[in-house]
Amino acid sequence: MDPDTFRSDISVEGTDVYWRRRMAVLTGVLVVVAVVAWACTSASGRRTPTGATKGATPAPDALVVSLPSPLASPSASPSPTPSPSGEKEAKEAKDGKDGKGGKEDRGAKDAKEAKAAAPRRPGDSCDPRELVLSLRGGQQTYAGSAEPTFLLTIVSTAKVDCTVDVGPRVLETRIISGNDRVWSTADCVSGAGDDIQMLKRGIPYVRTIRWDRHRSGADCTAKRAAAMPGTYVAWTHADGLDGLHSPKTVFSLR
């Protein structure tokens, strides 16, 4: 056999085997690369050691968070709450603006304050707040025909001398029994019935009042009936002096 022929067959067969081996190696390398790439992709989606889940948005950096955003809208300032004093002033201003209502109220208030003012000159009318009125009974029980008597006093505490009407109509002493009006000094008074007295500070005006144990009323011509035995109450009040009155005195008729 020719040696060249044998060598040629071996060379042809060796070349084919060589390329097949190269293709196998290349295929293996591609498979390894694909496996490594798949492994890397899977590892990126797993839970991180800090507990972050797959696909979670990474936490922003603290420095970035502390910086103000130029797109952030300014916070709305709270609307002021009206105070009670502001509402009162607004209401008073409205009343004054409306017209006569506010002016009349202020005028009445000023007149009341001027009326309640203490006397400035001697002879001015006494301020009722500076007067003390009292009525004291002579005794608690009146038997037989004994007539009840009372001591009426009124004293001024003003710094200057002042005048007051102590007439029986203004300083009315009244006697009642339950709801029954029995007798009054204001009944059947002749003339004007006024009695203006000048009061000095601390010096009382004193008057003695005597009741004849008979009833009185508006009809001064009718015969007056005698009061029945029982319990009665007497007190004095000043008509037109802001409700000035004395303590009540209880007594009995036998």
Side-chain angles (χ1 to χ4, degrees):
M1 182 178 290
D2 190 358
D4 294 334
T5 302
F6 182 75
R7 185 179 297 110
S8 175
D9 293 339
I10 294 174
S11 299
V12 173
E13 183 180 0
T15 303
D16 186 40
V17 173
Y18 171 79
W19 284 110
R20 288 180 180 177
R21 289 177 180 175
R22 290 297 179 92
M23 290 296 295
V25 171
L26 181 60
T27 301
V29 171
L30 292 176
V31 170
V32 171
V33 172
V35 171
V36 172
W38 176 82
C40 292
T41 304
S42 300
S44 63
R46 296 177 183 176
R47 181 179 296 272
T48 61
T50 58
T53 58
K54 181 180 179 180
T57 304
D61 185 76
L63 180 59
V64 177
V65 173
S66 63
L67 293 177
S69 173
L71 299 179
S73 59
S75 58
S77 59
S79 58
T81 303
S83 62
S85 59
E87 294 179 356
K88 183 179 179 180
E89 293 176 357
K91 183 178 179 181
E92 291 178 352
K94 181 179 179 181
D95 294 341
K97 185 178 179 181
D98 289 343
K100 299 181 179 179
K103 294 181 180 179
E104 291 178 355
D105 293 342
R106 287 192 295 271
K109 183 178 179 180
D110 295 340
K112 185 176 180 180
E113 292 178 352
K115 181 179 179 180
R120 300 272 74 90
R121 297 176 301 175
D124 288 349
S125 297
C126 296
D127 186 345
R129 296 174 300 180
E130 297 178 338
L131 294 176
V132 179
L133 184 64
S134 66
L135 181 70
R136 296 181 181 180
Q139 57 193 64
Q140 292 184 343
T141 303
Y142 299 89
S145 61
E147 296 181 350
T149 57
F150 308 93
L151 191 65
L152 171 66
T153 61
I154 183 170
V155 61
S156 171
T157 61
K159 295 181 179 181
V160 298
D161 298 349
C162 60
T163 58
V164 64
D165 188 354
V166 297
R169 284 197 177 100
V170 176
L171 286 185
E172 177 191 2
T173 300
R174 184 177 297 186
I175 297 175
I176 63 173
S177 177
N179 294 326
D180 184 16
R181 179 182 181 278
V182 179
W183 179 82
S184 171
T185 58
D187 295 337
C188 302
V189 176
S190 60
D194 55 352
D195 185 4
I196 307 299
Q197 295 290 329
M198 178 79 74
L199 299 182
K200 296 181 178 296
R201 183 177 185 180
I203 302 178
Y205 167 83
V206 182
R207 173 191 293 171
T208 301
I209 298 176
R210 183 180 300 274
W211 180 36
D212 61 1
R213 298 176 67 120
H214 285 74
R215 302 176 66 92
S216 68
D219 187 1
C220 299
T221 59
K223 184 178 180 179
R224 299 168 57 206
M228 301 296 293
T231 301
Y232 294 84
V233 177
W235 84 94
T236 301
H237 69 93
D239 186 21
L241 292 180
D242 294 343
L244 180 65
H245 61 84
S246 70
K248 294 181 179 180
T249 300
V250 181
F251 63 98
S252 300
L253 295 182
R254 294 284 186 257

